[in-house]
Amino acid sequence: MSQYKVLFVCLGNICRSPSAEGVFRKFVVDADREHEFFIDSAGTGSWHAGSPPDVRARKAASNRDIDISSLRARQVRGDDFGAFDYILAMDEENLNSLLGAVPQTMRGKIHLFLDFAPDLGVSEVPDPYYGGENGFDHVLDLIEEASRGLLAHIDQNRVG
Ligand code: 4NP
């Protein structure tokens, strides 16, 4: 069976995108649909490659029964554009970095993640890195809503 391949992208791949990877994976595992998805995350920057998620992101996720401690940061690669079906940017800066690198024929794979949560009325998951612990809970709230929306979108657009 073919899988939907979903890549979450932020700047460092230590705060927002590993959180999104963990949340979305929990949603599909809880729905007993893990086999339908390949889920990953990456950063447009390379500074944190090889690092685990920020301790504040791990703690906020753990409070919601999500374990992201085994994830390790990596940078987006050229072959990601062919490998993934949905490439989801956390903010406009990362969206623009991706749009600057993607081959023209694959532009349609790239979206702002919060486009899948239109009721939120915001388009970006804010960078929590230089803020306090509260920022990480807010990030998770946004990510949960967009994860529900993404799953609904995938189900509505399912072929076969
Ligand atoms: P992320 O957060 O993009 O959500 O992983 C950041 C992590 C590190 C930095 C910026 C944002 N940094 O500048 O090191």
Side-chain angles (χ1 to χ4, degrees):
M1 181 187 172
S2 72
Q3 290 181 312
Y4 292 99
K5 300 183 181 66
V6 180
L7 181 68
F8 297 100
V9 178
C10 62
L11 185 59
N13 194 209
I14 56 168
C15 298
R16 292 164 291 176
S17 62
S19 301
E21 178 180 350
V23 166
F24 191 69
R25 180 170 290 118
K26 178 170 167 57
F27 276 24
V28 304
V29 167
D30 286 353
D32 206 13
R33 297 179 57 182
E34 197 177 7
H35 55 286
E36 293 178 43
F37 293 90
F38 178 78
I39 306 163
D40 197 3
S41 64
T44 53
S46 63
W47 317 281
H48 297 282
S51 297
D54 186 285
V55 64
R56 296 164 295 173
R58 282 185 268 155
K59 200 164 133 196
S62 168
N63 287 340
R64 299 185 190 206
D65 272 337
I66 299 168
D67 182 2
I68 58 171
S69 61
S70 65
L71 301 181
R72 294 294 177 266
R74 73 170 178 88
Q75 191 173 23
V76 174
R77 297 186 296 260
D79 64 2
D80 288 327
F81 298 116
F84 287 89
D85 305 304
Y86 288 92
I87 300 175
L88 302 163
M90 295 296 140
D91 62 25
E92 300 272 358
E93 181 188 351
N94 291 298
L95 178 76
N96 288 330
S97 298
L98 292 166
L99 289 174
V102 67
Q104 186 68 26
T105 55
M106 299 177 186
R107 282 177 80 85
K109 296 181 174 193
I110 298 179
H111 311 267
L112 273 175
F113 187 32
L114 294 192
D115 281 354
F116 294 97
D119 291 349
L120 287 173
V122 290
S123 60
E124 301 187 304
V125 181
D127 182 350
Y129 189 65
Y130 293 107
E133 306 246 334
N134 285 350
F136 286 80
D137 257 333
H138 180 55
V139 159
L140 286 175
D141 289 341
L142 300 176
I143 284 172
E144 284 185 354
E145 185 68 16
S147 292
R148 271 189 281 277
L150 175 63
L151 210 46
H153 169 88
I154 287 173
D155 288 343
Q156 278 155 19
N157 291 277
R158 178 188 287 279
V159 272

Coordinates of all heavy atoms in Angstrom, one line a residue, residues 94-139:
N94 N 10.3 30.2 6.2 CA 10.6 28.8 5.8 C 9.9 28.4 4.5 O 10.5 27.7 3.7 CB 10.4 27.8 7.0 CG 11.3 28.0 8.1 OD1 12.5 27.9 7.9 ND2 10.8 28.5 9.2
L95 N 8.7 28.9 4.4 CA 8.0 28.7 3.1 C 8.8 29.3 1.9 O 9.0 28.6 0.9 CB 6.6 29.4 3.2 CG 5.8 29.3 1.9 CD1 5.2 27.9 1.8 CD2 4.6 30.3 1.9
N96 N 9.3 30.5 2.1 CA 10.0 31.1 1.0 C 11.4 30.4 0.8 O 11.8 30.3 -0.4 CB 10.3 32.6 1.3 CG 9.0 33.4 1.2 OD1 8.1 33.0 0.4 ND2 8.8 34.5 2.0
S97 N 12.0 29.9 1.8 CA 13.2 29.1 1.6 C 12.9 27.9 0.8 O 13.7 27.5 -0.1 CB 13.8 28.7 2.9 OG 14.2 29.8 3.7
L98 N 11.8 27.2 1.1 CA 11.5 26.0 0.4 C 11.1 26.3 -1.1 O 11.5 25.6 -2.0 CB 10.3 25.3 1.1 CG 10.6 24.7 2.4 CD1 9.3 24.3 3.2 CD2 11.5 23.5 2.3
L99 N 10.3 27.4 -1.3 CA 9.9 27.8 -2.6 C 11.1 28.2 -3.5 O 11.1 28.1 -4.7 CB 8.9 28.9 -2.6 CG 7.5 28.5 -2.0 CD1 6.6 29.7 -1.9 CD2 6.8 27.4 -2.9
G100 N 12.2 28.7 -2.8 CA 13.4 29.1 -3.5 C 14.2 27.9 -4.0 O 15.1 28.0 -4.8
A101 N 13.9 26.7 -3.4 CA 14.8 25.5 -3.6 C 14.0 24.4 -4.4 O 14.7 23.6 -5.0 CB 15.3 25.0 -2.3
V102 N 12.7 24.5 -4.4 CA 11.9 23.3 -5.0 C 11.9 23.4 -6.5 O 11.8 24.5 -7.1 CB 10.5 23.3 -4.4 CG1 9.7 24.5 -4.9 CG2 9.8 22.0 -4.8
P103 N 12.0 22.3 -7.2 CA 11.8 22.3 -8.7 C 10.4 22.8 -9.0 O 9.5 22.5 -8.3 CB 12.0 20.9 -9.1 CG 12.8 20.3 -8.0 CD 12.4 21.0 -6.7
Q104 N 10.3 23.6 -10.0 CA 9.0 24.2 -10.4 C 7.8 23.2 -10.4 O 6.7 23.5 -9.9 CB 9.1 24.8 -11.8 CG 8.0 25.6 -12.3 CD 7.7 26.9 -11.6 OE1 8.7 27.4 -11.0 NE2 6.5 27.3 -11.5
T105 N 8.1 22.0 -10.9 CA 7.0 21.0 -11.1 C 6.5 20.5 -9.7 O 5.4 19.8 -9.7 CB 7.4 19.8 -11.9 OG1 8.6 19.3 -11.3 CG2 7.7 20.2 -13.3
M106 N 7.2 20.8 -8.7 CA 6.9 20.2 -7.3 C 6.4 21.3 -6.4 O 6.2 21.0 -5.2 CB 8.0 19.5 -6.7 CG 8.5 18.3 -7.6 SD 9.9 17.5 -6.9 CE 10.3 16.3 -8.2
R107 N 6.2 22.5 -6.9 CA 5.8 23.6 -6.0 C 4.5 23.3 -5.2 O 4.3 23.8 -4.1 CB 5.6 24.9 -6.8 CG 6.9 25.6 -7.2 CD 6.6 26.8 -8.0 NE 6.2 28.0 -7.3 CZ 7.0 28.8 -6.7 NH1 8.3 28.6 -6.9 NH2 6.6 29.9 -6.1
G108 N 3.6 22.6 -5.9 CA 2.3 22.3 -5.3 C 2.4 21.4 -4.0 O 1.4 21.3 -3.3
K109 N 3.5 20.8 -3.8 CA 3.6 20.0 -2.5 C 3.9 20.9 -1.3 O 3.7 20.4 -0.2 CB 4.9 19.1 -2.7 CG 4.8 18.1 -3.8 CD 6.0 17.2 -3.8 CE 5.9 16.1 -4.8 NZ 6.9 15.1 -4.6
I110 N 4.2 22.2 -1.5 CA 4.7 23.0 -0.4 C 3.5 23.9 0.1 O 2.9 24.6 -0.8 CB 5.9 23.8 -0.8 CG1 7.0 22.8 -1.2 CG2 6.3 24.8 0.2 CD1 8.3 23.4 -1.6
H111 N 3.3 23.9 1.4 CA 2.2 24.7 1.9 C 2.6 25.3 3.3 O 3.5 24.7 3.9 CB 1.0 23.8 2.3 CG 0.5 22.9 1.2 ND1 -0.4 23.2 0.3 CD2 1.0 21.6 0.8 CE1 -0.6 22.2 -0.6 NE2 0.2 21.2 -0.3
L112 N 1.9 26.3 3.7 CA 2.0 26.8 5.1 C 1.2 25.8 5.9 O 0.1 25.5 5.5 CB 1.5 28.2 5.2 CG 2.4 29.4 5.0 CD1 1.6 30.6 5.1 CD2 3.5 29.4 6.0
F113 N 1.8 25.2 6.9 CA 1.1 24.2 7.7 C -0.3 24.8 8.2 O -1.3 24.1 8.1 CB 1.9 23.8 8.9 CG 1.4 22.7 9.7 CD1 0.6 21.6 9.1 CD2 1.7 22.6 11.1 CE1 0.2 20.6 9.9 CE2 1.2 21.5 11.8 CZ 0.4 20.5 11.3
L114 N -0.3 26.0 8.6 CA -1.6 26.6 9.2 C -2.6 26.9 8.2 O -3.8 27.2 8.5 CB -1.3 27.8 10.1 CG -0.5 27.5 11.4 CD1 -0.5 28.7 12.3 CD2 -1.0 26.3 12.1
D115 N -2.3 26.7 6.9 CA -3.3 26.7 5.8 C -4.4 25.6 6.1 O -5.5 25.7 5.6 CB -2.8 26.6 4.4 CG -2.1 27.8 3.9 OD1 -2.3 28.9 4.6 OD2 -1.5 27.8 2.8
F116 N -4.0 24.6 6.8 CA -4.9 23.5 7.1 C -5.7 23.8 8.4 O -6.4 22.9 8.9 CB -4.1 22.2 7.2 CG -3.6 21.8 5.9 CD1 -2.3 22.1 5.5 CD2 -4.4 21.2 4.9 CE1 -1.7 21.8 4.3 CE2 -3.9 20.9 3.7 CZ -2.6 21.2 3.3
A117 N -5.5 25.0 9.0 CA -6.3 25.3 10.2 C -6.8 26.8 10.0 O -6.5 27.7 10.7 CB -5.4 25.3 11.4
P118 N -7.7 27.0 9.0 CA -8.1 28.3 8.6 C -8.9 29.0 9.8 O -8.8 30.3 9.9 CB -9.0 28.1 7.4 CG -9.4 26.7 7.4 CD -8.3 26.0 8.1
D119 N -9.5 28.3 10.6 CA -10.3 28.9 11.7 C -9.4 29.6 12.7 O -9.9 30.4 13.5 CB -11.2 27.8 12.4 CG -12.3 27.3 11.5 OD1 -12.5 27.9 10.4 OD2 -13.0 26.3 11.8
L120 N -8.2 29.2 12.8 CA -7.3 29.9 13.8 C -7.1 31.3 13.5 O -6.8 32.1 14.4 CB -5.9 29.2 13.7 CG -5.8 27.8 14.4 CD1 -4.4 27.2 14.1 CD2 -6.1 27.9 15.9
G121 N -7.2 31.7 12.2 CA -7.0 33.1 11.8 C -5.5 33.6 11.9 O -5.3 34.8 11.8
V122 N -4.6 32.7 12.0 CA -3.2 33.0 11.9 C -2.5 32.1 10.9 O -2.9 31.0 10.7 CB -2.4 32.9 13.3 CG1 -2.9 34.0 14.2 CG2 -2.6 31.5 13.9
S123 N -1.5 32.6 10.3 CA -0.9 31.8 9.2 C 0.5 31.2 9.6 O 1.0 30.3 8.9 CB -0.6 32.7 7.9 OG 0.2 33.8 8.3
E124 N 1.0 31.6 10.7 CA 2.4 31.1 11.1 C 2.4 30.5 12.5 O 1.7 31.0 13.4 CB 3.4 32.3 11.1 CG 3.5 33.0 9.7 CD 4.6 34.0 9.7 OE1 4.7 34.9 10.6 OE2 5.5 33.8 8.8
V125 N 3.2 29.5 12.6 CA 3.5 28.9 14.0 C 4.7 29.8 14.4 O 5.8 29.7 13.8 CB 3.9 27.4 13.9 CG1 4.2 26.9 15.3 CG2 2.8 26.6 13.3
P126 N 4.6 30.6 15.5 CA 5.7 31.5 15.8 C 6.9 30.7 16.4 O 6.7 29.7 17.1 CB 5.0 32.4 16.9 CG 3.9 31.6 17.4 CD 3.4 30.7 16.3
D127 N 8.0 31.3 16.1 CA 9.3 30.7 16.6 C 9.4 30.8 18.1 O 9.4 32.0 18.6 CB 10.4 31.4 15.9 CG 11.8 30.8 16.3 OD1 11.8 30.0 17.2 OD2 12.8 31.2 15.7
P128 N 9.4 29.7 18.9 CA 9.3 29.8 20.3 C 10.7 29.9 21.0 O 10.9 30.0 22.2 CB 8.6 28.5 20.8 CG 9.1 27.5 19.8 CD 9.3 28.3 18.5
Y129 N 11.8 29.8 20.1 CA 13.1 29.5 20.6 C 13.6 30.6 21.7 O 14.2 30.2 22.7 CB 14.1 29.5 19.5 CG 15.5 29.0 19.8 CD1 15.7 27.7 20.3 CD2 16.6 29.8 19.7 CE1 17.0 27.2 20.6 CE2 17.9 29.3 19.9 CZ 18.1 28.1 20.4 OH 19.3 27.6 20.7
Y130 N 13.4 31.9 21.4 CA 13.9 32.9 22.3 C 12.8 33.4 23.3 O 13.0 34.3 24.0 CB 14.4 34.1 21.5 CG 15.6 33.7 20.7 CD1 15.6 33.5 19.3 CD2 16.8 33.5 21.3 CE1 16.7 33.2 18.6 CE2 18.0 33.1 20.6 CZ 17.9 33.0 19.2 OH 19.0 32.6 18.5
G131 N 11.7 32.6 23.4 CA 10.7 33.0 24.3 C 10.6 32.1 25.5 O 11.6 31.3 25.8
G132 N 9.6 32.2 26.3 CA 9.4 31.4 27.5 C 8.8 30.0 27.2 O 8.5 29.7 26.1
E133 N 8.5 29.3 28.3 CA 7.9 28.0 28.2 C 6.5 28.0 27.6 O 6.1 27.1 26.9 CB 7.9 27.3 29.6 CG 9.2 27.3 30.3 CD 9.7 25.9 30.5 OE1 8.9 24.9 30.5 OE2 11.0 25.7 30.6
N134 N 5.8 29.1 27.9 CA 4.4 29.2 27.4 C 4.3 29.1 25.9 O 3.4 28.6 25.3 CB 3.8 30.6 27.8 CG 3.4 30.6 29.2 OD1 3.5 29.5 29.9 ND2 3.1 31.7 29.8
G135 N 5.4 29.6 25.2 CA 5.4 29.6 23.8 C 5.3 28.2 23.2 O 4.7 28.0 22.1
F136 N 5.8 27.3 23.9 CA 5.8 25.9 23.4 C 4.5 25.2 23.5 O 4.1 24.4 22.7 CB 6.9 25.1 24.2 CG 8.3 25.4 23.7 CD1 8.9 26.5 24.2 CD2 9.0 24.6 22.8 CE1 10.2 26.9 23.8 CE2 10.2 25.0 22.3 CZ 10.9 26.1 22.8
D137 N 3.7 25.6 24.5 CA 2.3 25.1 24.6 C 1.5 25.7 23.5 O 0.6 25.0 22.9 CB 1.7 25.5 26.0 CG 1.7 24.3 26.9 OD1 1.6 23.2 26.4 OD2 1.8 24.5 28.1
H138 N 1.7 27.0 23.3 CA 0.9 27.7 22.2 C 1.2 27.0 20.9 O 0.3 26.8 20.1 CB 1.3 29.2 22.2 CG 0.6 30.0 21.1 ND1 -0.8 30.0 21.0 CD2 1.1 30.7 20.1 CE1 -1.1 30.7 20.0 NE2 0.0 31.2 19.4
V139 N 2.5 26.7 20.6 CA 2.9 26.1 19.4 C 2.2 24.7 19.3 O 1.7 24.4 18.2 CB 4.5 25.8 19.4 CG1 4.9 24.7 18.5 CG2 5.2 27.1 19.1

